[in-house]
Amino acid sequence: MSDFSIPDNSVLLLEGGALRGVYTNGVLDVWMEHDLYFPTVAAVSAGGLNAVNYLARQPGRSARINLHYRHDPRYAGPLALVKNRGLFGLDFIINGLTGREPFDEATYAASPQRLFVVATDVDTGRPAFFEKGHCSDFTRAVIASASMPLVSWPVKIDGRAYLDGGCSCAIPLDWALEQGFGHIVVVTTREKGYRKPMTSQRMVDLYSDFYAAHPRFLAALLTMDLRYNALMDRIDQLETAGRIFVMRPQRPVTVGRLEKDRDKLLALVNEGRAEARDSLPALQEYLSRSL
């Protein structure tokens, strides 16, 4: 059990990154083991999948699914694309594992924590925030948030089409500041100093071929690198100023978004666990401040 509490006006922000999200698996597992639950969570893409298990208070579940089912064709690959309309079988891991990896639906439903997931509106190219309990189909919103462009069909919610939240909002920092949260804790899946390279001409061509009919969404895709790097600059500045607390890998991350090597995935889970344990005193000090 933890010997410190989390202030009510605190928010946890979770970055995506597909299978790099196993770092967040490790971080959240340690926090759950210490009974540290943030009253509000806002998550993007794979971060939303992690957040669901966090609200269900099931340490280890996200990591087990990512490690055990990585090579299951229902989870990742062409079969998942056919059956679940995306390269990752998000319907499978959310709805298809109830017998093998039971999900604590009762705890999740009863959780007092607020949970938001971010998806990108394909028509406007802008982020859309969906809140658990205030959305017509929150499970579909979680799936939409993690549905990567090019390899996923858009997910329809209330007649509108959505794709990966990371296309428009890698981490909802501006939203958290605008909402007035006193303490903001961010979990990223890249090391400090990482910046996205310029979008290659090949990707520009692919995005243009697929999304020419949605010019605002296309514009969001073509500016992801610039917006991400500006966001990381702001996060570094706010962290240095003590305004936010950031959990991030301490070493360069070599795990790819579609990583197949389970040993590398396990190592990143364990890195997240070790760094979360080591940072507990610093987290406690940050949360105890008056900001």
Side-chain angles (χ1 to χ4, degrees):
M1 297 290 288
S2 169
D3 59 358
F4 66 94
S5 60
I6 297 176
D8 290 339
N9 193 27
S10 302
V11 65
L12 173 62
L13 309 180
L14 302 178
E15 185 181 18
L19 285 169
R20 285 192 293 271
V22 298
Y23 176 79
T24 309
N25 294 170
V27 171
L28 293 183
D29 284 352
V30 167
W31 288 351
M32 284 189 275
E33 290 161 7
H34 285 79
D35 200 31
L36 295 174
Y37 291 94
F38 285 79
T40 303
V41 183
V44 180
S45 194
L49 300 171
N50 282 320
V52 166
N53 289 307
Y54 180 56
L55 264 70
R57 304 195 174 200
Q58 291 185 268
R61 186 173 186 270
S62 288
R64 287 194 303 272
I65 289 172
N66 281 316
L67 294 169
H68 184 77
Y69 291 97
R70 173 60 189 90
H71 294 292
D72 190 311
R74 295 168 297 178
Y75 178 31
L79 180 61
L81 186 63
V82 171
K83 288 184 172 294
N84 291 280
R85 299 173 65 83
L87 191 63
F88 283 98
L90 302 176
D91 283 317
F92 168 68
I93 63 174
I94 291 176
N95 299 313
L97 292 174
T98 52
R100 300 172 187 177
E101 279 289 346
F103 178 65
D104 191 341
E105 180 66 42
T107 297
Y108 171 73
S111 173
Q113 295 169 276
R114 298 179 72 190
L115 173 57
F116 297 83
V117 294
V118 186
T120 301
D121 188 307
V122 174
D123 288 326
T124 67
R126 296 183 59 80
F129 286 75
F130 296 93
E131 184 177 2
K132 175 180 174 282
H134 299 272
C135 170
S136 62
D137 192 336
F138 189 72
T139 297
R140 297 301 293 167
V142 173
I143 291 172
S145 179
S147 293
M148 295 187 295
L150 299 180
V151 294
S152 305
W153 274 263
V155 176
K156 289 288 188 74
I157 302 171
D158 296 332
R160 298 191 68 84
Y162 299 92
L163 279 170
D164 198 317
C167 300
S168 59
C169 177
I171 298 170
L173 176 64
D174 288 335
W175 172 86
L177 292 168
E178 290 166 3
Q179 294 291 312
F181 287 103
H183 295 81
I184 299 173
V185 175
V186 181
V187 181
T188 77
T189 53
R190 287 287 197 180
E191 68 278 5
K192 188 170 186 174
Y194 173 80
R195 297 296 184 269
K196 284 185 182 290
M198 182 182 296
T199 304
S200 69
Q201 187 60 50
R202 177 174 177 272
M203 292 305 297
V204 169
D205 292 342
L206 281 172
Y207 287 147
S208 299
D209 289 343
F210 271 72
Y211 301 113
H214 301 280
R216 292 177 180 174
F217 182 68
L218 176 59
L221 293 173
L222 296 181
T223 57
M224 278 194 298
D225 53 343
L226 298 174
R227 288 182 290 102
Y228 183 87
N229 294 343
L231 174 62
M232 291 303 112
D233 290 343
R234 290 192 64 215
I235 284 176
D236 288 351
Q237 292 164 5
L238 290 170
E239 180 186 25
T240 299
R243 176 64 181 88
I244 66 175
F245 183 92
V246 185
M247 276 294 312
R248 51 159 68 91
Q250 296 302 297
R251 297 180 296 177
V253 175
T254 60
V255 167
R257 296 181 75 196
L258 307 178
E259 184 62 58
K260 294 182 179 181
D261 188 331
R262 281 189 285 201
D263 289 338
K264 290 178 68 174
L265 293 171
L266 177 59
L268 191 56
V269 172
N270 288 333
E271 185 176 338
R273 289 188 59 87
E275 291 170 4
R277 284 194 299 268
D278 291 345
S279 72
L280 284 172
L283 178 62
Q284 178 181 17
E285 194 276 330
Y286 170 76
L287 292 172
S288 67
R289 292 183 206 162
S290 296
L291 296 177

Coordinates of all heavy atoms in Angstrom, one line a residue, residues 26-114:
G26 N 4.1 -1.5 -17.3 CA 5.0 -1.6 -16.2 C 4.7 -0.5 -15.1 O 4.7 -0.8 -13.9
V27 N 4.7 0.7 -15.6 CA 4.5 1.9 -14.7 C 3.1 1.7 -14.0 O 3.1 1.8 -12.7 CB 4.5 3.2 -15.5 CG1 4.1 4.4 -14.6 CG2 5.9 3.4 -16.1
L28 N 2.1 1.5 -14.7 CA 0.7 1.4 -14.0 C 0.6 0.2 -13.1 O -0.1 0.3 -12.1 CB -0.4 1.4 -15.1 CG -0.5 2.6 -16.0 CD1 -1.7 2.5 -16.9 CD2 -0.7 3.9 -15.1
D29 N 1.3 -0.9 -13.5 CA 1.3 -2.0 -12.6 C 1.8 -1.7 -11.2 O 1.3 -2.1 -10.2 CB 2.0 -3.2 -13.2 CG 1.3 -3.9 -14.3 OD1 0.1 -3.6 -14.5 OD2 1.9 -4.8 -15.0
V30 N 3.0 -1.0 -11.2 CA 3.6 -0.6 -9.9 C 2.7 0.3 -9.1 O 2.5 0.2 -7.9 CB 5.0 0.0 -10.1 CG1 5.5 0.7 -8.9 CG2 5.9 -1.1 -10.6
W31 N 2.1 1.3 -9.8 CA 1.2 2.2 -9.2 C 0.0 1.5 -8.6 O -0.5 1.8 -7.5 CB 0.8 3.4 -10.1 CG 1.9 4.3 -10.4 CD1 3.1 4.3 -9.8 CD2 1.9 5.4 -11.4 NE1 3.9 5.3 -10.3 CE2 3.2 6.0 -11.3 CE3 1.0 5.8 -12.3 CZ2 3.5 7.1 -12.1 CZ3 1.3 6.9 -13.1 CH2 2.6 7.5 -13.0
M32 N -0.6 0.6 -9.3 CA -1.7 -0.2 -8.8 C -1.3 -1.0 -7.6 O -2.1 -1.1 -6.6 CB -2.3 -1.1 -9.9 CG -3.1 -0.4 -10.9 SD -4.0 -1.4 -12.1 CE -2.8 -1.8 -13.3
E33 N -0.1 -1.6 -7.6 CA 0.4 -2.4 -6.5 C 0.6 -1.5 -5.3 O 0.5 -2.0 -4.1 CB 1.7 -3.1 -6.9 CG 1.5 -4.2 -7.9 CD 2.8 -4.6 -8.6 OE1 3.9 -4.0 -8.2 OE2 2.7 -5.4 -9.6
H34 N 0.7 -0.2 -5.5 CA 0.9 0.8 -4.4 C -0.4 1.5 -4.1 O -0.4 2.5 -3.4 CB 2.0 1.7 -4.6 CG 3.4 1.1 -4.4 ND1 4.0 0.3 -5.4 CD2 4.2 1.2 -3.4 CE1 5.2 -0.1 -4.9 NE2 5.3 0.4 -3.7
D35 N -1.5 1.1 -4.7 CA -2.8 1.7 -4.5 C -2.9 3.2 -4.9 O -3.5 4.0 -4.2 CB -3.3 1.5 -3.1 CG -4.8 1.6 -2.9 OD1 -5.5 1.3 -3.9 OD2 -5.2 2.1 -1.9
L36 N -2.2 3.5 -6.0 CA -2.1 4.9 -6.5 C -3.0 5.0 -7.7 O -2.7 4.5 -8.8 CB -0.7 5.3 -6.9 CG 0.3 5.3 -5.7 CD1 1.7 5.6 -6.2 CD2 -0.1 6.4 -4.7
Y37 N -4.2 5.6 -7.5 CA -5.2 5.8 -8.6 C -5.5 7.3 -8.7 O -6.0 7.9 -7.8 CB -6.4 5.0 -8.2 CG -6.2 3.5 -8.3 CD1 -5.9 2.8 -7.2 CD2 -6.3 2.8 -9.5 CE1 -5.6 1.4 -7.2 CE2 -6.0 1.5 -9.6 CZ -5.7 0.7 -8.5 OH -5.4 -0.6 -8.5
F38 N -5.2 7.8 -9.9 CA -5.5 9.2 -10.2 C -7.0 9.4 -10.4 O -7.6 8.5 -11.1 CB -4.7 9.6 -11.4 CG -3.3 9.9 -11.2 CD1 -2.4 8.8 -11.1 CD2 -2.8 11.1 -10.9 CE1 -1.0 9.0 -10.8 CE2 -1.4 11.3 -10.6 CZ -0.6 10.3 -10.6
P39 N -7.6 10.4 -9.9 CA -9.0 10.6 -10.0 C -9.5 10.9 -11.4 O -10.6 10.6 -11.8 CB -9.3 11.9 -9.1 CG -8.0 12.5 -9.0 CD -6.9 11.5 -9.0
T40 N -8.6 11.4 -12.3 CA -8.9 11.6 -13.7 C -7.8 11.1 -14.6 O -6.6 11.3 -14.2 CB -9.1 13.1 -14.0 OG1 -10.2 13.6 -13.2 CG2 -9.5 13.3 -15.5
V41 N -8.1 10.4 -15.6 CA -7.1 9.9 -16.6 C -7.6 10.3 -18.0 O -8.8 10.2 -18.3 CB -7.1 8.3 -16.5 CG1 -6.0 7.8 -17.5 CG2 -6.8 7.9 -15.1
A42 N -6.6 10.8 -18.8 CA -6.9 11.1 -20.2 C -5.8 10.4 -21.0 O -4.6 10.6 -20.8 CB -6.9 12.6 -20.4
A43 N -6.3 9.6 -21.9 CA -5.4 8.7 -22.6 C -5.6 8.7 -24.1 O -6.6 9.0 -24.6 CB -5.6 7.2 -22.1
V44 N -4.5 8.4 -24.8 CA -4.5 8.4 -26.3 C -4.0 7.1 -26.8 O -3.0 6.5 -26.3 CB -3.5 9.5 -26.8 CG1 -3.5 9.5 -28.3 CG2 -3.9 10.9 -26.3
S45 N -4.8 6.5 -27.7 CA -4.4 5.3 -28.5 C -4.1 4.1 -27.5 O -5.0 3.8 -26.7 CB -3.1 5.6 -29.3 OG -2.9 4.6 -30.3
A46 N -2.9 3.5 -27.6 CA -2.6 2.4 -26.7 C -2.7 2.8 -25.2 O -3.0 1.9 -24.3 CB -1.2 1.9 -27.0
G47 N -2.6 4.1 -24.9 CA -2.7 4.5 -23.5 C -4.2 4.3 -23.0 O -4.4 4.0 -21.9
G48 N -5.1 4.4 -23.9 CA -6.5 4.1 -23.6 C -6.7 2.6 -23.2 O -7.5 2.3 -22.2
L49 N -6.1 1.7 -23.9 CA -6.2 0.3 -23.6 C -5.6 0.0 -22.2 O -6.1 -0.8 -21.4 CB -5.5 -0.5 -24.6 CG -6.0 -0.4 -26.0 CD1 -5.1 -1.1 -27.1 CD2 -7.4 -1.0 -26.1
N50 N -4.4 0.7 -21.9 CA -3.8 0.6 -20.6 C -4.8 1.2 -19.5 O -4.9 0.6 -18.4 CB -2.5 1.3 -20.5 CG -1.4 0.6 -21.2 OD1 -1.3 -0.7 -21.0 ND2 -0.5 1.2 -21.9
A51 N -5.4 2.3 -19.8 CA -6.2 3.0 -18.8 C -7.4 2.1 -18.4 O -7.9 2.1 -17.3 CB -6.7 4.3 -19.4
V52 N -8.0 1.4 -19.4 CA -9.2 0.5 -19.1 C -8.8 -0.5 -18.0 O -9.6 -0.7 -17.0 CB -9.6 -0.2 -20.4 CG1 -10.6 -1.3 -20.0 CG2 -10.3 0.9 -21.3
N53 N -7.6 -1.1 -18.1 CA -7.2 -2.1 -17.1 C -6.8 -1.4 -15.8 O -7.0 -2.0 -14.7 CB -6.1 -2.9 -17.6 CG -6.5 -3.9 -18.7 OD1 -7.4 -4.7 -18.5 ND2 -5.9 -3.9 -19.8
Y54 N -6.4 -0.2 -15.9 CA -6.1 0.6 -14.7 C -7.3 0.9 -13.9 O -7.4 0.7 -12.6 CB -5.4 1.9 -15.1 CG -4.9 2.9 -14.0 CD1 -4.1 2.5 -13.0 CD2 -5.3 4.2 -14.1 CE1 -3.7 3.4 -12.0 CE2 -4.9 5.1 -13.2 CZ -4.1 4.7 -12.1 OH -3.7 5.6 -11.2
L55 N -8.4 1.3 -14.6 CA -9.7 1.5 -13.9 C -10.3 0.2 -13.3 O -11.0 0.3 -12.3 CB -10.7 2.2 -14.8 CG -10.7 3.8 -14.7 CD1 -9.5 4.4 -15.2 CD2 -12.0 4.3 -15.3
A56 N -10.0 -0.9 -14.0 CA -10.5 -2.2 -13.5 C -9.6 -2.7 -12.4 O -9.9 -3.7 -11.8 CB -10.5 -3.2 -14.6
R57 N -8.5 -2.0 -12.1 CA -7.6 -2.4 -11.0 C -7.1 -3.8 -11.2 O -7.2 -4.6 -10.2 CB -8.3 -2.2 -9.6 CG -8.8 -0.7 -9.5 CD -9.1 -0.3 -8.1 NE -9.4 1.1 -8.0 CZ -9.4 1.8 -6.9 NH1 -9.1 1.3 -5.8 NH2 -9.7 3.1 -7.0
Q58 N -6.5 -4.1 -12.3 CA -6.0 -5.4 -12.7 C -4.6 -5.3 -13.1 O -4.2 -5.4 -14.3 CB -6.9 -6.0 -13.8 CG -8.3 -6.4 -13.3 CD -9.1 -7.1 -14.4 OE1 -9.8 -6.5 -15.2 NE2 -8.9 -8.4 -14.4
P59 N -3.7 -5.2 -12.1 CA -2.2 -5.1 -12.4 C -1.8 -6.4 -13.2 O -2.2 -7.5 -12.8 CB -1.5 -5.0 -11.1 CG -2.6 -5.4 -10.1 CD -3.9 -5.1 -10.7
G60 N -1.0 -6.3 -14.2 CA -0.5 -7.4 -14.9 C -1.3 -7.8 -16.1 O -0.7 -8.4 -17.1
R61 N -2.5 -7.4 -16.2 CA -3.4 -7.9 -17.3 C -2.9 -7.3 -18.7 O -2.8 -8.1 -19.6 CB -4.8 -7.5 -17.1 CG -5.8 -8.1 -18.1 CD -7.3 -7.8 -17.7 NE -8.2 -8.5 -18.6 CZ -8.6 -8.0 -19.8 NH1 -8.3 -6.8 -20.1 NH2 -9.4 -8.7 -20.5
S62 N -2.6 -6.0 -18.7 CA -2.2 -5.5 -20.0 C -0.9 -6.1 -20.5 O -0.8 -6.4 -21.7 CB -2.0 -3.9 -19.9 OG -3.2 -3.3 -19.8
A63 N 0.0 -6.2 -19.6 CA 1.3 -6.8 -20.0 C 1.1 -8.3 -20.4 O 1.8 -8.7 -21.4 CB 2.3 -6.7 -18.8
R64 N 0.3 -9.0 -19.7 CA 0.1 -10.4 -20.1 C -0.5 -10.6 -21.5 O 0.0 -11.4 -22.3 CB -0.8 -11.2 -19.1 CG -0.1 -11.4 -17.7 CD -0.9 -12.4 -16.9 NE -2.3 -12.0 -16.7 CZ -2.7 -11.2 -15.7 NH1 -1.8 -10.8 -14.8 NH2 -3.9 -10.9 -15.5
I65 N -1.4 -9.7 -21.8 CA -2.1 -9.8 -23.1 C -1.0 -9.4 -24.2 O -0.9 -10.1 -25.2 CB -3.3 -8.8 -23.1 CG1 -4.4 -9.4 -22.3 CG2 -3.7 -8.6 -24.6 CD1 -5.6 -8.4 -22.1
N66 N -0.3 -8.4 -24.0 CA 0.7 -8.0 -25.0 C 1.8 -9.0 -25.2 O 2.2 -9.2 -26.3 CB 1.3 -6.6 -24.6 CG 0.4 -5.4 -24.9 OD1 -0.2 -5.4 -26.0 ND2 0.3 -4.5 -24.0
L67 N 2.2 -9.6 -24.1 CA 3.3 -10.6 -24.3 C 2.8 -12.0 -24.8 O 3.4 -12.6 -25.6 CB 4.0 -10.8 -22.9 CG 4.7 -9.5 -22.4 CD1 5.1 -9.7 -21.0 CD2 6.0 -9.3 -23.3
H68 N 1.7 -12.4 -24.2 CA 1.2 -13.8 -24.5 C 0.6 -13.8 -25.9 O 0.7 -14.8 -26.7 CB 0.2 -14.2 -23.5 CG -0.3 -15.6 -23.7 ND1 0.5 -16.7 -23.4 CD2 -1.4 -16.1 -24.3 CE1 -0.2 -17.8 -23.7 NE2 -1.3 -17.5 -24.3
Y69 N -0.1 -12.8 -26.3 CA -0.9 -12.8 -27.6 C -0.2 -12.1 -28.7 O -0.8 -12.0 -29.8 CB -2.3 -12.3 -27.3 CG -3.1 -13.2 -26.5 CD1 -3.2 -12.9 -25.1 CD2 -3.8 -14.3 -27.0 CE1 -4.0 -13.7 -24.3 CE2 -4.5 -15.1 -26.2 CZ -4.6 -14.8 -24.8 OH -5.3 -15.7 -24.0
R70 N 1.0 -11.6 -28.6 CA 1.6 -10.8 -29.6 C 1.7 -11.6 -30.9 O 1.5 -11.0 -32.0 CB 3.1 -10.4 -29.2 CG 3.9 -9.8 -30.4 CD 3.2 -8.5 -30.8 NE 3.8 -7.9 -32.0 CZ 3.4 -8.2 -33.3 NH1 2.4 -9.0 -33.5 NH2 4.0 -7.6 -34.3
H71 N 1.9 -12.9 -30.9 CA 2.0 -13.6 -32.2 C 0.7 -14.4 -32.5 O 0.6 -15.3 -33.4 CB 3.1 -14.6 -32.1 CG 4.5 -13.9 -32.1 ND1 4.9 -13.1 -33.2 CD2 5.4 -13.7 -31.1 CE1 6.1 -12.6 -32.8 NE2 6.4 -12.9 -31.6
D72 N -0.4 -14.1 -31.7 CA -1.7 -14.7 -32.1 C -2.3 -13.9 -33.3 O -2.4 -12.7 -33.2 CB -2.6 -14.6 -30.9 CG -3.9 -15.3 -31.0 OD1 -4.6 -15.2 -32.1 OD2 -4.3 -16.1 -30.1
P73 N -2.6 -14.6 -34.3 CA -3.1 -13.9 -35.5 C -4.4 -13.1 -35.3 O -4.7 -12.2 -36.1 CB -3.3 -15.0 -36.6 CG -3.4 -16.2 -35.8 CD -2.5 -16.1 -34.6
R74 N -5.1 -13.4 -34.3 CA -6.3 -12.7 -33.9 C -6.0 -11.3 -33.3 O -6.8 -10.4 -33.3 CB -7.2 -13.5 -33.0 CG -7.7 -14.7 -33.6 CD -8.4 -15.6 -32.5 NE -7.4 -16.0 -31.5 CZ -7.6 -16.8 -30.4 NH1 -8.9 -17.1 -30.2 NH2 -6.7 -17.1 -29.6
Y75 N -4.8 -11.2 -32.8 CA -4.3 -9.9 -32.1 C -3.6 -9.0 -33.1 O -3.9 -7.8 -33.1 CB -3.4 -10.3 -30.9 CG -2.9 -9.1 -30.2 CD1 -3.6 -7.9 -30.1 CD2 -1.7 -9.1 -29.6 CE1 -3.1 -6.8 -29.5 CE2 -1.1 -8.1 -28.9 CZ -1.8 -6.9 -28.8 OH -1.3 -5.8 -28.2
A76 N -2.7 -9.6 -33.9 CA -2.0 -8.7 -34.8 C -1.7 -9.4 -36.1 O -1.3 -10.6 -36.1 CB -0.7 -8.3 -34.1
G77 N -1.9 -8.7 -37.2 CA -1.6 -9.3 -38.5 C -2.8 -9.3 -39.5 O -3.8 -8.7 -39.2
P78 N -2.6 -9.9 -40.6 CA -3.7 -9.9 -41.6 C -5.0 -10.4 -41.2 O -6.1 -9.9 -41.6 CB -3.1 -10.8 -42.7 CG -1.6 -10.7 -42.5 CD -1.4 -10.6 -41.1
L79 N -5.1 -11.5 -40.4 CA -6.3 -12.0 -39.9 C -7.0 -11.0 -39.0 O -8.3 -10.8 -39.1 CB -6.1 -13.3 -39.1 CG -7.4 -14.0 -38.6 CD1 -8.3 -14.4 -39.7 CD2 -7.0 -15.2 -37.7
A80 N -6.3 -10.3 -38.2 CA -6.9 -9.2 -37.3 C -7.4 -8.1 -38.2 O -8.5 -7.6 -38.0 CB -5.9 -8.7 -36.4
L81 N -6.7 -7.8 -39.3 CA -7.2 -6.8 -40.2 C -8.5 -7.1 -40.9 O -9.4 -6.3 -41.0 CB -6.1 -6.6 -41.3 CG -6.3 -5.4 -42.3 CD1 -6.3 -4.1 -41.5 CD2 -5.3 -5.4 -43.4
V82 N -8.7 -8.4 -41.2 CA -9.9 -8.9 -41.9 C -11.0 -8.9 -40.9 O -12.1 -8.4 -41.1 CB -9.7 -10.3 -42.5 CG1 -11.0 -10.8 -43.0 CG2 -8.7 -10.2 -43.7
K83 N -10.8 -9.5 -39.7 CA -11.8 -9.7 -38.7 C -12.2 -8.5 -37.9 O -13.3 -8.3 -37.5 CB -11.5 -10.9 -37.8 CG -11.5 -12.2 -38.4 CD -11.2 -13.3 -37.4 CE -11.4 -14.7 -38.0 NZ -12.9 -15.0 -38.3
N84 N -11.2 -7.6 -37.6 CA -11.4 -6.5 -36.7 C -11.2 -5.1 -37.4 O -11.2 -4.1 -36.7 CB -10.4 -6.6 -35.5 CG -10.8 -7.8 -34.6 OD1 -11.7 -7.7 -33.8 ND2 -10.1 -8.9 -34.8
R85 N -11.0 -5.1 -38.7 CA -10.8 -3.9 -39.5 C -9.7 -3.0 -39.0 O -9.7 -1.8 -39.1 CB -12.1 -3.1 -39.5 CG -13.3 -3.9 -40.1 CD -14.6 -3.2 -39.9 NE -14.7 -1.9 -40.6 CZ -15.0 -1.8 -41.9 NH1 -15.2 -2.9 -42.6 NH2 -15.0 -0.6 -42.5
G86 N -8.6 -3.7 -38.5 CA -7.4 -3.0 -38.1 C -6.3 -4.0 -38.0 O -6.5 -5.2 -37.7
L87 N -5.0 -3.5 -38.1 CA -3.9 -4.4 -38.0 C -3.8 -5.0 -36.6 O -3.3 -6.2 -36.5 CB -2.6 -3.6 -38.3 CG -1.3 -4.5 -38.5 CD1 -1.5 -5.4 -39.7 CD2 -0.1 -3.6 -38.7
F88 N -4.2 -4.3 -35.6 CA -4.4 -4.9 -34.3 C -5.8 -5.3 -34.0 O -6.7 -4.5 -34.3 CB -3.9 -3.9 -33.2 CG -2.4 -3.8 -33.1 CD1 -1.7 -2.8 -33.7 CD2 -1.7 -4.8 -32.4 CE1 -0.3 -2.7 -33.6 CE2 -0.3 -4.7 -32.3 CZ 0.4 -3.7 -32.9
G89 N -6.0 -6.5 -33.5 CA -7.4 -6.9 -33.3 C -7.9 -6.4 -32.0 O -8.0 -7.1 -30.9
L90 N -8.3 -5.1 -32.0 CA -8.7 -4.4 -30.8 C -10.0 -5.0 -30.2 O -10.2 -5.2 -29.0 CB -8.9 -2.9 -31.0 CG -7.6 -2.3 -31.5 CD1 -7.8 -0.8 -31.8 CD2 -6.5 -2.4 -30.5
D91 N -10.9 -5.4 -31.1 CA -12.2 -6.1 -30.6 C -11.8 -7.4 -29.9 O -12.4 -7.7 -28.9 CB -13.1 -6.3 -31.8 CG -13.8 -5.1 -32.3 OD1 -14.3 -4.4 -31.4 OD2 -13.9 -4.9 -33.5
F92 N -10.8 -8.1 -30.5 CA -10.4 -9.4 -29.9 C -9.9 -9.2 -28.5 O -10.3 -9.9 -27.6 CB -9.4 -10.0 -30.8 CG -8.7 -11.2 -30.1 CD1 -9.4 -12.4 -29.9 CD2 -7.3 -11.1 -29.8 CE1 -8.7 -13.5 -29.3 CE2 -6.7 -12.2 -29.2 CZ -7.4 -13.4 -28.9
I93 N -9.0 -8.2 -28.3 CA -8.4 -8.1 -27.0 C -9.3 -7.4 -26.0 O -9.2 -7.7 -24.8 CB -7.0 -7.3 -27.0 CG1 -7.2 -5.9 -27.5 CG2 -6.0 -8.0 -27.9 CD1 -5.9 -5.1 -27.4
I94 N -10.3 -6.7 -26.4 CA -11.3 -6.1 -25.5 C -12.4 -7.1 -25.2 O -12.8 -7.2 -24.0 CB -11.8 -4.8 -26.1 CG1 -10.7 -3.7 -26.1 CG2 -13.0 -4.3 -25.3 CD1 -11.1 -2.4 -26.7
N95 N -12.9 -7.7 -26.2 CA -14.1 -8.5 -26.1 C -13.9 -10.0 -26.2 O -14.7 -10.8 -25.8 CB -15.2 -8.1 -27.1 CG -15.6 -6.7 -27.0 OD1 -15.9 -6.2 -25.9 ND2 -15.6 -6.0 -28.1
G96 N -12.7 -10.4 -26.7 CA -12.5 -11.9 -27.0 C -11.7 -12.6 -26.0 O -11.4 -13.8 -26.2
L97 N -11.3 -12.0 -24.9 CA -10.4 -12.7 -23.9 C -11.1 -12.8 -22.6 O -10.4 -13.0 -21.6 CB -9.1 -11.9 -23.8 CG -8.2 -11.9 -25.0 CD1 -7.0 -11.0 -24.8 CD2 -7.7 -13.3 -25.3
T98 N -12.4 -12.7 -22.5 CA -13.1 -12.7 -21.2 C -12.9 -14.1 -20.5 O -12.9 -14.1 -19.3 CB -14.6 -12.4 -21.4 OG1 -15.1 -13.3 -22.4 CG2 -14.8 -11.0 -21.9
G99 N -12.7 -15.1 -21.3 CA -12.5 -16.4 -20.6 C -11.1 -16.7 -20.2 O -10.8 -17.2 -19.1
R100 N -10.1 -16.2 -21.0 CA -8.7 -16.5 -20.7 C -8.1 -15.4 -19.8 O -7.2 -15.7 -19.0 CB -7.9 -16.6 -22.0 CG -8.4 -17.8 -22.9 CD -7.8 -17.8 -24.2 NE -8.4 -18.7 -25.1 CZ -8.1 -18.9 -26.4 NH1 -7.1 -18.1 -26.9 NH2 -8.7 -19.8 -27.1
E101 N -8.5 -14.2 -20.0 CA -8.0 -13.1 -19.2 C -9.2 -12.3 -18.8 O -9.5 -11.2 -19.3 CB -7.0 -12.2 -20.1 CG -5.6 -12.7 -20.2 CD -4.8 -12.6 -18.9 OE1 -5.3 -11.9 -18.0 OE2 -3.8 -13.2 -18.8
P102 N -9.9 -12.8 -17.8 CA -11.2 -12.2 -17.4 C -11.0 -10.7 -17.0 O -10.0 -10.3 -16.3 CB -11.6 -13.0 -16.1 CG -10.9 -14.3 -16.3 CD -9.6 -14.0 -17.0
F103 N -11.8 -9.9 -17.5 CA -11.8 -8.4 -17.2 C -12.8 -8.2 -16.1 O -14.0 -8.6 -16.2 CB -12.2 -7.7 -18.5 CG -12.3 -6.2 -18.3 CD1 -11.1 -5.5 -18.0 CD2 -13.5 -5.5 -18.4 CE1 -11.2 -4.1 -17.8 CE2 -13.5 -4.1 -18.3 CZ -12.4 -3.4 -18.0
D104 N -12.4 -7.4 -15.1 CA -13.3 -7.1 -14.0 C -14.2 -6.0 -14.3 O -14.0 -4.8 -14.0 CB -12.4 -6.8 -12.8 CG -13.2 -6.7 -11.5 OD1 -14.5 -6.6 -11.6 OD2 -12.6 -6.8 -10.4
E105 N -15.3 -6.3 -15.0 CA -16.2 -5.3 -15.5 C -16.9 -4.6 -14.4 O -17.2 -3.4 -14.5 CB -17.3 -6.0 -16.4 CG -18.3 -5.1 -17.0 CD -17.8 -4.1 -18.0 OE1 -16.9 -4.5 -18.8 OE2 -18.2 -3.0 -17.9
A106 N -17.2 -5.3 -13.3 CA -17.9 -4.7 -12.2 C -17.0 -3.6 -11.5 O -17.5 -2.5 -11.2 CB -18.2 -5.7 -11.1
T107 N -15.7 -3.9 -11.3 CA -14.8 -2.9 -10.7 C -14.7 -1.7 -11.7 O -14.7 -0.5 -11.3 CB -13.5 -3.5 -10.4 OG1 -13.7 -4.5 -9.4 CG2 -12.5 -2.5 -9.9
Y108 N -14.5 -2.0 -13.0 CA -14.3 -1.0 -14.0 C -15.6 0.0 -14.0 O -15.5 1.2 -14.0 CB -14.1 -1.6 -15.3 CG -14.2 -0.7 -16.5 CD1 -13.1 0.2 -16.8 CD2 -15.2 -0.7 -17.4 CE1 -13.1 1.0 -17.9 CE2 -15.3 0.1 -18.5 CZ -14.2 1.0 -18.7 OH -14.2 1.8 -19.8
A109 N -16.8 -0.7 -14.0 CA -18.0 0.1 -14.1 C -18.2 1.0 -12.9 O -18.7 2.1 -12.9 CB -19.2 -0.8 -14.3
A110 N -17.8 0.5 -11.7 CA -18.0 1.2 -10.4 C -16.9 2.2 -10.1 O -17.0 2.9 -9.1 CB -18.1 0.1 -9.3
S111 N -15.8 2.2 -10.9 CA -14.7 3.1 -10.6 C -15.1 4.5 -10.5 O -15.8 5.0 -11.4 CB -13.6 2.9 -11.6 OG -12.6 3.9 -11.4
P112 N -14.7 5.2 -9.4 CA -15.0 6.6 -9.3 C -14.1 7.5 -10.2 O -14.3 8.7 -10.3 CB -14.8 6.9 -7.9 CG -13.7 6.0 -7.4 CD -14.0 4.7 -8.2
Q113 N -13.1 6.9 -10.8 CA -12.2 7.7 -11.7 C -12.9 8.1 -12.9 O -13.6 7.3 -13.5 CB -11.0 6.8 -12.0 CG -10.1 6.4 -10.8 CD -9.1 5.4 -11.2 OE1 -9.4 4.2 -11.2 NE2 -7.9 5.8 -11.6
R114 N -12.6 9.3 -13.4 CA -13.0 9.8 -14.7 C -12.0 9.3 -15.7 O -10.8 9.4 -15.5 CB -13.2 11.3 -14.7 CG -14.2 11.8 -13.8 CD -14.3 13.4 -13.8 NE -14.9 13.8 -15.1 CZ -14.9 15.1 -15.5 NH1 -14.3 16.0 -14.8 NH2 -15.5 15.4 -16.6

